[in-house]
Amino acid sequence: MSNTQIQIFDTTLRDGEQVPGCKLNTPQKIIISKQLDLLGVDVIEAGFPVSSPGDFKSVEEISKIVQNATVCGLTRSVENDIKVAAEALKYAKKPRIHTGIGTSDSHIIHKFKSNKDAIIERAARAVSYAKSFVEDVEFYAEDAGRTDNEYLARVCEAVIKSGATVLNIPDTTGYCLPHEYGAKIKYLKENVKGIDKAIISCHCHNDLGLATANSIEGIINGARQIECTINGIGERAGNTALEEVVMIMKQHPYLNLDTNINTEMLYGISQLVSESMGIYTQPNKAIVGANAFAHSSGIHQDGVIKNRETYEIIDPKDVGVTESAIVLTARSGRAALAYRAKNVGYELTKLELDTVYAEFLNFADTKKEVIDSDIHEIIETSKIYK
Ligand code: KIV
Ligand code: ZN
């Protein structure tokens, strides 16, 4: 892997599926996995095999059909979890076990009623055990966002010694600010002995709306994997949105960071995940929302009709959207009306347009959006035909 290449670890089927009411069955997960594999993600986190027989079955079936991506199963630092995950992954061409434990004071004291040294020992033991089944072992330090950096570095050092190939530094509660998360990654790069033997992964939650910004800060500071989900779905306010981090790297080439993602599939896979889970994507969602390439104010429409780049930084075709939408509302101008009228077959002269535009405005005031059939009606009943 070149140093400019960022691995995309998709956890739509694990962290994403933790959204209440969004449970998928195995056939649905297989369809999504096939699309993720074609999309070019490097890792598919297929589930948490010990959590239920259904999840075990899904991980096993996904392992059989994925052709290119690594297939990953989540575990706690518990022997039985790891053994069950290894069993579920046995058909995978490239299996990965993702094991870990909470490392913040809050997790150590309240959740585990333990101490820092004992947690390090348990983490190292879990990684060694996972390593007895598969070569590729990722370790997560749950709540790393609120773990002090010095202790986190000790944990990382211990699990690298036990053979961890990837170090996941989750901001589990979405608490960090971008500069703090970036500094955490930099600190680990500079202070963990043996860090060159592993890659650092960002896993950011969106409780404060900072998941994407934090992940980008993470890779700018040396992380080489981002954990994310389609449409940013996930626990509470969700995870980092795959489509956002991928397009940020593509639109900012000077960052010199690249992914294997076939971006033209982004819109289609967003729709697939949203429909399969029955979870509606907000219209103003970056990259894949219904309004991401829609223009409705007169000034913007005039600019986009003259040159798309005036108000769009992404070519919609690059993410699988056929074209920008010029939405007709009472805020639209003559240029937008002439453009949409031409699309449905009317080439209006300047004089005709002036007349039709006045009639259009009266009509538009009565409706949220003027659609193609309305355009026909407005023009056909207009004074220009009388
Ligand atoms: O947010 C988190 O800490 C997680 C881990 C289980 C990786 O999802
Ligand atoms: Zn998570």
Side-chain angles (χ1 to χ4, degrees):
M1 183 181 77
S2 91
N3 197 36
T4 60
Q5 191 71 16
I6 302 299
Q7 304 279 298
I8 295 296
F9 175 116
D10 181 275
T11 184
T12 305
L13 300 178
R14 200 279 297 170
D15 220 334
E17 209 227 11
Q18 289 174 212
V19 177
C22 289
K23 182 113 196 59
L24 298 171
N25 56 34
T26 302
Q28 286 173 314
K29 287 189 183 180
I30 288 176
I31 292 171
I32 293 174
S33 299
K34 282 186 181 159
Q35 293 304 307
L36 289 171
D37 206 21
L38 291 172
L39 179 70
V41 306
D42 301 282
V43 185
I44 297 173
E45 187 162 52
F48 183 6
V50 84
S51 66
S52 73
D55 227 34
F56 181 94
K57 180 94 190 125
S58 295
V59 176
E60 191 177 45
E61 295 303 319
I62 290 168
S63 296
K64 288 180 188 165
I65 56 103
V66 167
Q67 297 300 313
N68 302 305
T70 293
V71 180
C72 176
L74 185 79
T75 81
R76 295 165 297 180
S77 283
V78 170
E79 278 203 358
N80 189 52
D81 284 26
I82 296 169
K83 193 154 57 119
V84 170
E87 177 67 19
L89 291 165
K90 69 173 182 285
Y91 298 108
K93 287 196 168 84
K94 294 189 250 171
R96 174 182 293 181
I97 293 178
H98 187 191
T99 191
I101 196 162
T103 54
S104 64
D105 285 349
S106 158
H107 281 237
I108 295 173
I109 297 164
H110 302 297
K111 195 162 109 180
F112 299 114
K113 305 198 184 329
S114 185
N115 63 65
K116 288 187 165 176
D117 289 338
I119 291 293
I120 292 187
E121 219 183 287
R122 196 165 152 189
R125 229 181 312 122
V127 171
S128 300
Y129 188 58
K131 209 68 187 174
S132 70
F133 297 102
V134 295
E135 187 44 43
D136 190 0
V137 176
E138 172 166 341
F139 175 80
Y140 64 86
E142 194 179 6
D143 206 13
R146 293 187 300 171
T147 301
D148 85 75
N149 289 349
E150 235 176 277
Y151 176 64
L152 189 57
R154 280 178 57 208
V155 175
C156 291
E157 230 163 84
V159 296
I160 289 174
K161 260 199 204 141
S162 297
T165 41
V166 182
L167 297 175
N168 178 9
I169 309 300
D171 183 20
T172 305
T173 57
Y175 180 69
C176 288
L177 292 172
H179 74 276
E180 288 168 340
Y181 190 75
K184 192 174 279 291
I185 302 299
K186 187 165 189 279
Y187 181 89
L188 296 175
K189 283 292 280 180
E190 289 172 355
N191 292 282
V192 172
K193 268 195 232 114
I195 194 70
D196 295 338
K197 296 197 190 104
I199 68 166
I200 298 182
S201 182
C202 308
H203 179 115
C204 298
H205 279 267
N206 206 31
D207 300 66
L208 292 171
L210 292 170
T212 293
N214 284 347
S215 299
I216 296 296
E217 264 317 290
I219 55 173
I220 286 173
N221 282 282
R224 282 296 171 267
Q225 177 176 281
I226 295 181
E227 308 198 1
C228 44
T229 60
I230 301 293
N231 301 335
I233 56 163
E235 268 305 314
R236 307 182 308 279
N239 288 64
T240 301
L242 181 150
E243 60 279 4
E244 292 176 14
V245 287
V246 165
M247 290 313 291
I248 288 169
M249 285 182 256
K250 190 174 166 91
Q251 298 308 118
H252 290 275
Y254 66 88
L255 288 175
N256 199 20
L257 296 169
D258 206 1
T259 70
N260 288 323
I261 298 297
N262 172 10
T263 63
E264 289 172 14
M265 285 183 66
L266 286 172
Y267 182 68
I269 201 159
S270 157
Q271 297 279 99
L272 172 69
V273 167
S274 156
E275 282 162 20
S276 311
M277 289 190 162
I279 188 168
Y280 165 77
T281 306
Q282 70 200 65
N284 59 325
K285 167 78 189 62
I287 321 293
V288 291
N291 292 347
F293 299 99
H295 306 273
S296 76
S297 87
I299 295 171
H300 286 216
Q301 290 174 329
D302 183 48
V304 168
I305 290 167
K306 286 175 177 146
N307 181 349
R308 188 191 58 73
E309 289 178 18
T310 314
Y311 287 102
E312 278 182 0
I313 58 156
I314 297 171
D315 184 337
K317 292 189 187 68
D318 283 353
V319 298
V321 174
T322 28
E323 59 182 356
S324 315
I326 298 293
V327 181
L328 289 181
T329 70
R331 305 280 91 73
S332 299
R334 284 174 172 71
L337 177 60
Y339 173 85
R340 286 281 301 273
K342 189 172 173 194
N343 282 356
V344 294
Y346 302 94
E347 193 88 58
L348 301 172
T349 65
K350 186 170 176 322
L351 269 178
E352 285 170 343
L353 181 60
D354 286 344
T355 308
V356 173
Y357 183 65
E359 290 158 359
F360 159 80
L361 282 182
N362 286 333
F363 186 95
D365 266 338
T366 66
K367 259 193 111 181
K368 283 197 175 121
E369 187 184 332
V370 177
I371 58 175
D372 284 352
S373 56
D374 298 328
I375 300 173
H376 284 290
E377 190 186 324
I378 295 166
I379 296 176
E380 295 297 334
T381 59
S382 152
K383 284 191 207 124
I384 64 170
Y385 285 128
K386 292 196 175 130

